[in-house]
Amino acid sequence: MAPMRSSEPAAEALDAPAEPRLLEREAELRDVDAVVGDAVAGEGRALLLQGPAGIGKTALLDVAAERARAAGLRVLRATGSPLERDFPFGVVHQLLDREVGAASPERRERLLQGAAGRGAAVLTPDDGAAVAEGEEPRYAVLHGLYWLVANLADEGPLALVVDDLHWADRPSVRLVEYLARRLEGLPVALLAAARPGEPGSDADLLAAFAANPATTVDRPDVLGAEGAAALLAGALGHAPTPAFVAACATATGGNPFLLQVLGLQAAERGLRGTDDDVAAARAVGAEGLVDAVGRRLALLGPDARALAPAAALLGPGYRLDELAAVADVPPAAAERGADALVAGRFLDAADWGFVHPLLREAVIGSTPATARARLHGRAVAVLRARGARATEVALHHLGAAPAGDPAVVDDLRAAARSAVADGAPDVAIRHLRRALEEPPAPEQRPRLLLELGEIEGGTGNTEGLTHLTEALEGDLSGDDAARGHVARGMLLSLVDPPAALAEARAAAALAASPDARLRTEGLLLDIAMYHASTVDLRQELLRPARRDPAAASPAELAHLAYQRAHEGAPRAEVLDLARRAQVDGRLLQVLSPDSSSYQLVALALRISEAPEAARRVLDAGEELARRNGNRFSLMHVEHARAYWHLEYGSIAAGIAHGQSGLAIANELGRRLAAWTFVSALVELHVQAGDLAAAERVLAEHPVPPELEDAVHAAFVLAGRGLLRLVGGEAEEAQALLARSVASLDRWGWKAPLSTRRVLRWARALAAVGRTDEALALLDAQEALARGAGTDGVVGVVLATRGRIVGGDEGEAQLRAALALLGPSALRLDEGWAQHALGALLRRRGARTEARAPLRRALEIGDVTGAGLLAGSAREELAATGARALRTALSGPASLTPSERRVADLAAAGLTNRQIAERLWITRKTVELHLGHTYDKLGIRSRTQLPEALGAPDGTAPPTTA
């Protein structure tokens, strides 16, 4: 006899008793108690119940919630539903709406303090709010919701209970997975249930949740003979025989829910559970669950059959008159139907919701598609009348048949805007595509296509090109048309630069408002900087700004400052151009930090030896990115920060910034953006003395074939050249560096700090015996540095020459270099110059005199986290006869990149909470990092950090996170 089909959508608790009995679930309950107990002790953990429909997951969650309440936890519950997968953060609303909405003003302010305020935007109906152009809010929203949960947990231990997680909307599943990774140190128990392998579920996120070390995964088993007998006895009213139990277990596979349904059906048919009833039990067990649900509904009468689909479609929390309106039945009939459904244990009289979500799905699944569409259409009117969010109304539009209703188009567009603001662009895309099916009025269609194409383009969906093209062929003009061309240009910028340039030019010709014109100028200049084929165009675009900087736009000034810095222009000129670019604030506010135009200002200042000015630019950009919750902008800031630390700060902090930015790029699916972090991370790892890590970065992020002639490929070549030079492969190093020099020479980039490729090439040439060529290169570099007025950079060039020529001349060059590097901010360069001087003196026999510069080199290596310098300085010191020093186990050099980054922020005066919010980590992680830092630095409090980290005069170190 075939078993009952457990894959059919049905309830795990059809006709379940009010107090469900848990049979053979002792191990699962022990895990529940452990997770709840840890939450009471302040250490959050998660429990995930996995198993097929009917295995008893919901019953376990019910008992888990009861035990959590008994232990003093505040319990917040939610249930996923396939009907609400297109309602962004629908499960989150179930969990948190009441807590925030019902809070007093004082409590609300406390709950939403700090980063939690960004998450609150999800819980506040504001369907007309549009997200800023280019913003990537998803991760800021998740981070804000995490801090809202943390603030709730500060009031007392908390249990978050989520049933049917496999049916939850993706943003909510993402939050659950996000929370699970950050429960450490929070008094929170996260209890969830899900079916594995459910079609349409977010399998990647559920797998990540299950794999998290903080998550215990239980898979309840089918019932054994004893448990099956006990369950059947409850349905039949007396104990069945072993043969009857065995027949039922075979028919149902031991699934608790299926056993219960079979037992109830057997009782209805007068079976007694004897050996004589075995054949009849097998016949009952062969029927499907959907049939069983339909049959039981039929027994409840026509009013119940009419009301049940409406209640299933709406879900819990609606009034009876609203259910009647959706079912299209008179009030009296709705009352009779509701009473019958409660008596039949389909509905809960407290909220008119189904007693179990799978039972709700069974009713929906048995309702014909045409009938469901009519129900969805009537549900729209009910939701509009009660003032529901546009995102909630839109769920029913998705299920209703298109009817050419302009109001439907308006609802779906509003819902799409809200979904984008909530970080759910995929939901917004579905809403706008459904709006096109309605269809919109002809005059609305181009603007709707523009909105859809922009969102698709932001997610990397190439269908956006099709929709944007159709939009531009329609009746778009002015700024709207410019927006369409900008969006197309951004999609094409890295894969088809000529086409992207054409789009940018078209946008520039159409833009009407000053801000739109600035955005198109920025895009055009950005695109003209990516690829070797645009070198001449870039010079042409910058020519007017060169002639008259006073008339140039902020974008033109930013790009000109960057170009002139690379050309080796006077430092004062570059600083003036950078100042002009920022003077009215539009560069930051209009273009935002995710525009190359904004980042180039900081990079120009870095090259021109103006580190503090560069840091201020980055600080402003980071502040805006964090305030807007824009992870894409933050990724760009992290890129510039990594390079800043390479020149002026901490190598460990630079690695932390580079890794953070790379992680963001990977999270956002920006493959090409991730590749731009390669050169910085390679150089930072080399300076840290971890050549293997540098090799891994190169291996994991090869140059994309379509970008072999992109400008950043030359930066990667420079990093590879350094790695080979340090590794003793001088011939390969000089070949790589020669290619980098030739590539960037086409752009007119000659300045010494412009990837340092010429300085490194000179060292590599000297290493293979081509010293005259090397010295000629250095003469030109020195002339550029002196002409620019960058004294520290002159010192870098002199130190390079001193390392090459050696002897008396080399010593003179190195001492001259140190006279310039000492007062400069180029600490790592000073360290290498001190090392070179000490090594030269040691080789000439002046071992005692060599020790002072070598100790200074060691000190700088330790403070900056430059393991390559520190390790080499230790070796040289040992060669002078000084006491051999071990690799640092304490002091700044011993800090990991993450510890250094946290320490820098603490030294700058940020609290643990502020550090956690800024770095997207937990307070417990901050505490652990600071604890390790204090141990390594030999200090007892954060007030001692600035001095211990090597900052002058005990002030905060010149590093920023």
Side-chain angles (χ1 to χ4, degrees):
M1 187 72 66
M4 300 178 75
R5 299 191 302 275
S6 61
S7 61
E8 293 284 358
E12 293 181 15
L14 181 65
D15 276 350
E19 298 294 333
R21 292 181 60 195
L22 292 181
L23 301 168
E24 301 178 3
R25 296 293 183 254
E26 292 78 13
E28 289 82 359
L29 290 175
R30 283 194 296 272
D31 285 339
V32 166
D33 290 339
V35 171
V36 169
D38 284 346
V40 171
E43 195 59 43
R45 283 178 51 207
L47 174 65
L48 174 62
L49 302 171
Q50 282 190 332
I55 205 67
K57 304 183 297 296
T58 295
L60 273 166
L61 281 185
D62 288 341
V63 174
E66 292 171 5
R67 294 192 175 193
R69 287 192 191 94
L73 277 69
R74 185 162 71 260
V75 177
L76 307 180
R77 295 200 67 166
T79 300
S81 166
L83 286 179
E84 297 171 358
R85 280 178 173 165
D86 286 324
F87 180 16
F89 293 104
V91 163
V92 173
H93 281 289
Q94 294 180 50
L95 290 172
L96 302 175
D97 268 358
R98 189 173 302 172
E99 290 295 318
V100 175
S104 66
E106 295 79 12
R107 181 174 181 244
R108 183 182 176 89
E109 182 179 359
R110 186 171 65 253
L111 291 177
L112 302 182
Q113 64 177 310
R118 186 65 181 86
V122 169
L123 307 176
T124 304
D126 187 11
D127 298 318
V131 68
E133 184 175 343
E135 187 175 342
E136 170 51 70
R138 177 186 306 164
Y139 295 93
V141 170
L142 293 178
H143 192 52
L145 289 169
Y146 161 78
W147 279 103
L148 175 55
V149 170
N151 292 343
L152 283 166
D154 283 344
E155 298 178 338
L158 187 67
L160 302 177
V161 183
V162 184
D163 200 3
D164 293 324
L165 187 59
H166 55 277
W167 279 335
D169 59 282
R170 185 171 178 83
S172 290
V173 181
R174 188 181 293 279
L175 176 66
V176 169
E177 190 274 331
Y178 188 91
L179 285 173
R181 287 186 277 122
R182 291 162 173 79
L183 289 174
E184 187 180 36
L186 286 182
V188 175
L190 178 56
L191 307 163
R195 292 189 208 170
E198 182 71 10
S201 66
D202 293 296
D204 55 337
L205 294 176
L206 291 173
F209 176 35
N212 191 290
T215 302
T216 297
V217 180
D218 280 343
R219 298 177 177 86
D221 203 352
V222 298
L223 293 181
E226 184 177 343
L231 191 152
L232 289 168
L236 295 170
H238 57 268
T241 66
F244 184 87
V245 172
C248 292
T250 299
T252 62
N255 183 290
F257 169 63
L258 303 183
L259 276 165
Q260 186 178 43
V261 172
L262 193 155
L264 290 168
Q265 290 180 293
E268 288 174 354
R269 298 184 185 195
L271 302 184
R272 302 291 297 165
T274 65
D275 289 356
D276 294 337
D277 294 328
V278 167
R282 289 172 178 164
V284 172
E287 297 180 357
L289 284 180
V290 170
D291 293 338
V293 170
R295 187 169 50 254
R296 293 189 61 77
L297 263 180
L299 294 174
L300 298 180
D303 295 330
R305 290 199 305 272
L307 193 67
L313 232 65
L314 284 177
Y318 286 85
R319 301 189 309 269
L320 191 54
D321 63 303
E322 294 173 322
L323 295 180
V326 174
D328 196 22
V329 298
E335 290 179 10
R336 290 192 300 269
D339 289 342
L341 289 167
V342 170
R345 295 179 186 173
F346 276 80
L347 294 187
D348 184 340
D351 60 4
W352 304 122
F354 276 77
V355 296
H356 193 283
L358 292 183
L359 180 56
R360 175 187 178 191
E361 294 307 312
V363 173
I364 292 171
S366 63
T367 304
T370 54
R372 284 201 308 270
R374 288 193 297 270
L375 290 168
H376 280 298
R378 291 194 290 266
V380 167
V382 169
L383 266 69
R384 281 177 175 162
R386 64 159 37 202
R389 294 176 175 87
T391 46
E392 295 176 85
V393 177
L395 292 176
H396 294 284
H397 287 317
L398 293 175
D405 186 349
V408 172
V409 176
D410 291 342
D411 283 346
L412 289 165
R413 290 177 71 184
R417 288 194 296 272
S418 182
V420 171
D422 287 347
D426 51 338
V427 173
I429 289 169
R430 283 195 290 275
H431 289 333
L432 293 177
R433 288 178 178 174
R434 170 62 181 81
L436 286 173
E437 295 172 2
E438 188 59 18
E443 64 272 14
Q444 279 187 305
R445 185 176 178 84
R447 183 62 184 264
L448 197 155
L449 286 164
L450 172 63
E451 294 168 5
L452 175 58
E454 285 181 316
I455 298 170
E456 288 171 330
T459 65
N461 187 332
T462 54
E463 288 185 59
L465 285 173
T466 301
H467 290 128
L468 289 167
T469 298
E470 186 180 348
L472 289 167
E473 290 172 351
D475 188 22
L476 288 182
S477 61
D479 287 354
D480 285 342
R483 279 174 53 190
H485 286 292
V486 166
R488 281 175 55 88
M490 292 179 70
L491 271 170
L492 295 167
S493 60
L494 291 180
V495 295
D496 191 350
L501 285 168
E503 296 293 337
R505 284 173 164 156
L510 292 164
S513 68
D515 286 354
R517 287 197 297 272
L518 180 57
R519 277 191 289 269
T520 59
E521 287 172 1
L523 176 64
L524 184 57
L525 286 162
D526 288 352
I527 293 171
M529 194 182 69
Y530 291 145
H531 200 268
S533 62
T534 62
V535 171
D536 292 339
L537 171 63
R538 179 170 175 77
Q539 296 297 346
E540 175 190 333
L541 292 173
L542 290 177
R543 195 167 294 120
R546 287 181 189 270
R547 286 196 302 263
D548 186 6
S553 73
E556 291 171 325
L557 290 166
H559 279 264
L560 182 58
Y562 185 68
Q563 180 69 24
R564 293 294 287 147
H566 274 296
E567 290 172 353
R571 181 173 182 270
E573 178 189 336
V574 175
L575 267 58
D576 181 63
L577 289 169
R579 179 191 61 79
R580 288 172 180 269
Q582 302 174 80
V583 71
D584 61 0
R586 295 177 66 228
L587 186 69
L588 176 60
Q589 296 300 327
V590 176
L591 293 182
S592 83
D594 58 325
S595 162
S596 295
S597 300
Y598 182 79
Q599 298 303 315
L600 295 185
V601 174
L603 296 174
L605 292 168
R606 174 180 66 82
I607 294 169
S608 296
E609 207 175 334
E612 290 309 304
R615 186 168 68 164
R616 287 193 294 272
V617 172
L618 295 175
D619 287 346
E622 180 172 345
E623 181 183 356
L624 180 66
R626 293 190 184 280
R627 186 167 66 245
N628 289 342
N630 189 335
R631 291 271 278 175
F632 188 59
S633 290
L634 187 59
M635 177 194 74
H636 284 275
V637 175
E638 294 286 59
H639 184 270
R641 289 256 196 240
Y643 271 112
W644 188 94
H645 280 284
L646 183 60
E647 306 285 5
Y648 300 109
S650 155
I651 297 301
I655 291 172
H657 284 290
Q659 290 174 336
S660 171
L662 178 60
I664 294 172
N666 288 330
E667 286 172 355
L668 299 182
R670 306 289 181 126
R671 180 178 66 91
L672 298 180
W675 171 68
T676 65
F677 283 87
V678 171
S679 58
L681 281 171
V682 166
E683 299 200 18
L684 285 159
H685 282 308
V686 169
Q687 294 297 345
D690 193 346
L691 304 191
E695 294 283 9
R696 283 196 301 273
V697 171
L698 286 168
E700 292 169 2
H701 299 87
V703 176
E706 66 268 33
L707 295 182
E708 288 182 353
D709 286 330
V711 67
H712 201 78
F715 284 66
V716 176
L717 285 171
R720 287 177 59 198
L722 174 65
L723 178 60
R724 299 291 172 258
L725 185 62
V726 170
E729 302 173 61
E731 192 63 58
E732 184 178 353
Q734 78 84 20
L736 290 167
L737 291 163
R739 287 170 57 195
S740 179
V741 170
S743 176
L744 293 183
D745 276 356
R746 287 179 290 180
W747 297 83
W749 293 0
K750 304 284 189 179
L753 294 193
S754 180
T755 74
R756 296 181 179 242
R757 66 198 186 286
V758 177
L759 298 174
R760 294 169 186 168
W761 191 27
R763 288 171 54 195
L765 287 171
V768 297
R770 296 164 61 180
T771 304
D772 290 344
E773 293 176 64
L775 294 178
L777 289 174
L778 292 178
D779 289 343
Q781 291 280 280
E782 182 182 351
L784 279 168
R786 292 191 183 278
T790 49
D791 291 343
V793 180
V794 174
V796 175
V797 179
L798 296 179
T800 304
R801 185 185 288 122
R803 295 173 70 174
I804 290 174
V805 299
D808 291 340
E809 183 184 353
E811 180 180 347
Q813 290 283 313
L814 288 167
R815 292 190 184 280
L818 286 168
L820 295 170
L821 287 169
S824 81
L826 293 162
R827 289 192 298 176
L828 184 56
D829 286 292
E830 182 200 347
W832 279 115
Q834 295 279 12
H835 175 278
L837 177 60
L840 186 152
L841 292 171
R842 194 267 305 166
R843 290 194 298 272
R844 300 178 72 189
R847 299 200 304 173
T848 301
E849 187 181 357
R851 291 170 186 167
L854 289 172
R855 288 195 175 105
R856 174 59 180 161
L858 176 58
E859 177 188 357
I860 292 173
D862 281 346
V863 168
T864 61
L868 186 67
L869 172 61
S872 186
R874 284 188 177 88
E875 292 176 2
E876 285 290 346
L877 273 170
T880 68
R883 182 172 60 88
L885 300 175
R886 295 181 299 168
T887 299
L889 301 176
S890 61
S894 66
L895 301 181
T896 67
S898 297
E899 288 166 354
R900 178 65 194 232
R901 195 172 185 191
V902 169
D904 285 344
L905 287 171
L910 275 68
T911 66
N912 286 6
R913 180 192 176 96
Q914 290 170 330
I915 296 170
E917 289 185 355
R918 178 174 293 235
L919 299 185
W920 302 64
I921 58 179
T922 67
R923 283 176 291 193
K924 183 67 173 287
T925 301
V926 174
E927 293 166 4
L928 290 172
H929 281 330
L930 286 177
H932 294 155
T933 297
Y934 295 164
D935 289 343
K936 291 178 178 180
L937 298 181
I939 60 177
R940 301 182 63 180
S941 73
R942 67 203 308 127
T943 59
Q944 298 172 279
L945 276 170
E947 184 176 357
L949 290 171
D953 305 321
T955 57
T959 59
T960 178

